[in-house]
């Protein structure tokens, strides 16, 4: 079973992401509504993918990403950034901070499914 | 394989959440205005305004609202970094234009909830947002589908983002990390549970 942590302060957006990714079989989802809650959940359980918004209350997505990349036990976790900040500068910034993928909102179900499948396939290859 | 999701099914939930964010944006803009009239700044209120407007923008686009220039202006599209880095102080005319913009979004959301077609945002509103450097320019001109901020108050404000702002970001992350220490799982997190410098 593939475990995905979906982090966005908007419940509707989290539900949309999960609705899209349900097309990927054998996948379960955990929600987090803030950066702090994401860090708490990452500390409590192992995940195969983190889908992360940038613009959140308390600590933002970039800070969560930096936290993940700074932890020995989390460093290899793939992180897909999903954000309304779709400009090239934001894209470069998050990729430099260690994001595995970047997807601008609005996205289509097909585009996020393709992105997540590619990331999970890469992860499976690197683990094998 | 499961059928592809139809995101239009989320319109009812979108309407509820959009109304919540509009209420937040209104309240925070009034807090910014109140601070401004006292000669103070309110960075948190500016940040929360920006966050709410951007959430509305993202949700609106996801449920299929048009996002051309006219509609972006009425769905909370403001140059994120410029707004975010205004230092917590907005000129009163900017606050006034933003409050009118929020009102325009409210009217559109209300119309959508009733199944009506909403009135287009007025040229006057678009012009007032344009003059502040908030409204979006033609995406095609920028080449990446995103608005290029125009010169103006927010463009100037960007330059004053200080090292201390970055330091505050780092401190916030460090504080959060300290708060989650009790949650650390033995074996999953080593004793070197530290933030990267």
């Amino acid at each position: 079973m593939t475990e995905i942590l979906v982090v966005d302060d908007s419940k509707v957006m989290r539900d949309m992401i999960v609705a899209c990714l349900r097309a990927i079989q054998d996948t379960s989802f955990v929600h987090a509504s803030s950066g702090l809650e994401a860090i708490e959940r990452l500390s409590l359980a192992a995940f195969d993918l983190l889908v992360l918004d940038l613009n959140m209350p308390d600590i933002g997505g970039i800070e969560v990403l930096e936290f993940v990349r700074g932890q020995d036990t989390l460093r290899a976790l793939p992180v897909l950034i999903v954000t309304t900040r779709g400009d090239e500068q934001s894209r470069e910034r998050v990729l430099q901070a260690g994001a595995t993928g970047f997807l601008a909102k609005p996205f289509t179900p097909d585009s996020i499914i393709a992105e997540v499948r590619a990331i999970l396939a890469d992860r499976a290859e690197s683990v094998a | 394989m499961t059928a592809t999701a139809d995101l239009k099914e989320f319109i009812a939930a979108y309407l509820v959440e959009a109304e919540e964010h509009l209420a937040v944006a209104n309240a925070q803009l009034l807090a910014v205005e109140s601070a401004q009239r006292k000669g103070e700044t309110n960075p948190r209120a500016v940040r929360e305004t920006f966050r709410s407007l951007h959430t509305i923008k993202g949700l609106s686009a996801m449920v299929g609202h048009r996002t051309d220039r006219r509609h972006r202006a009425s769905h909370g599209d403001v140059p994120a970094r410029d707004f975010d880095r205004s230092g917590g102080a907005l000129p009163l005319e900017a606050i006034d234009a933003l409050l009118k913009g929020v009102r325009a979004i409210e009217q559109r959301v209300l119309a959508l909830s009733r199944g009506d077609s909403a009135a287009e945002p007025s040229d006057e509103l678009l012009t007032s947002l344009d003059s502040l450097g908030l409204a979006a320019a033609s995406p095609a001109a920028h080449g990446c589908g995103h608005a290029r901020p125009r010169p103006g108050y927010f463009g100037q404000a960007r330059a004053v983002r200080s090292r201390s702002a970055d330091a505050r970001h780092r401190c916030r992350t460090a504080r959060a990390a300290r708060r989650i220490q009790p949650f650390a799982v033995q074996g999953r997190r080593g004793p070197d549970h530290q933030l990267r410098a």
Side-chain angles (χ1 to χ4, degrees):
Chain A
M1 177 70 79
T2 302
E3 303 271 352
I4 299 179
L5 177 59
V6 180
V7 188
D8 198 304
D9 58 320
S10 164
K11 182 180 183 308
V12 178
M13 188 61 74
R14 292 197 308 273
D15 288 344
M16 285 179 179
I17 290 170
V18 169
C20 294
L21 296 181
R22 283 208 187 283
I24 302 175
Q25 290 183 337
D26 296 324
T27 304
S28 67
F29 302 90
V30 174
H31 292 230
S33 62
S34 70
L36 181 60
E37 188 184 348
I39 290 176
E40 288 172 355
R41 293 199 178 278
L42 287 166
S43 307
L44 291 167
F47 294 93
D48 299 294
L49 173 65
L50 173 59
V51 178
L52 184 62
D53 183 26
L54 288 184
N55 184 29
M56 292 185 291
D58 57 55
I59 58 174
I62 288 285
E63 286 89 348
V64 174
L65 178 58
E66 288 172 346
F67 175 84
V68 166
R69 292 298 176 244
Q71 302 297 310
D72 288 342
T73 51
L74 294 173
R75 194 164 286 138
L77 175 67
V79 179
L80 172 62
I81 299 291
V82 180
T83 177
T84 51
R85 298 183 181 184
D87 58 295
E88 195 56 36
Q89 195 179 348
S90 298
R91 184 188 191 91
E92 281 174 18
R93 186 178 172 214
V94 299
L95 292 177
Q96 279 175 3
T100 316
F102 180 92
L103 193 61
K105 298 172 189 172
F107 54 81
T108 63
D110 287 344
S111 64
I112 192 169
I113 290 168
E115 191 74 29
V116 167
R117 280 202 169 120
I119 289 172
L120 293 176
D122 282 349
R123 178 175 170 82
E125 253 180 45
S126 65
V127 170
Chain B
M1 172 167 306
T2 311
T4 304
D6 180 4
L7 299 182
K8 288 200 166 60
E9 291 175 1
F10 288 89
I11 282 186
Y14 154 78
L15 289 169
V16 172
E17 196 167 303
E19 284 178 8
E20 290 170 3
H21 283 290
L22 286 165
V24 170
N26 249 323
Q28 297 300 330
L29 277 169
L30 292 174
V32 177
E33 184 182 40
S34 173
Q36 185 76 359
R37 289 192 189 282
K38 293 177 197 165
E40 298 168 356
T41 61
N42 192 336
R44 177 184 287 269
V46 172
R47 193 169 56 244
E48 287 304 304
T49 303
F50 147 77
R51 193 170 67 78
S52 288
L53 292 177
H54 249 255
T55 300
I56 294 168
K57 171 197 169 189
L59 288 174
S60 300
M62 288 298 294
V63 295
H65 281 254
R66 288 160 53 197
T67 54
D68 57 26
R69 173 184 179 275
R70 183 169 287 274
H71 286 77
R72 278 201 306 270
S74 62
H75 279 98
D77 190 7
V78 292
R81 287 171 302 283
D82 291 350
F83 198 13
D84 202 19
R85 297 175 183 183
S86 62
L90 301 176
L92 291 175
E93 60 268 30
I95 296 168
D96 187 51
L98 286 165
L99 283 168
K100 286 177 181 167
V102 169
R103 181 70 190 136
I105 304 170
E106 284 172 344
Q107 287 169 349
R108 296 189 70 81
V109 170
L110 187 63
L112 182 63
S113 68
R114 290 173 175 165
D116 298 338
S117 59
E120 296 286 315
S122 70
D123 286 336
E124 184 188 2
L125 172 59
L126 293 174
T127 303
S128 65
L129 290 171
D130 269 341
S131 67
L132 295 166
L134 290 171
S138 165
H142 191 28
C144 68
H146 208 75
R148 180 193 293 281
R150 295 183 178 188
Y153 176 81
F154 295 95
Q156 293 159 11
R158 178 190 298 185
V160 304
R161 178 171 170 86
S162 62
R163 284 186 177 184
S164 63
D166 292 328
R168 281 196 300 275
H169 270 294
R170 285 196 296 275
C171 287
R172 251 184 8 241
T173 313
R175 278 199 303 274
R178 282 197 294 275
R179 284 176 61 183
I180 61 109
Q181 287 283 2
F183 294 93
V185 176
Q186 200 66 28
R188 176 158 170 74
R189 312 189 76 83
D192 59 337
H193 178 195
Q194 298 292 324
L195 286 173
R196 188 170 55 185

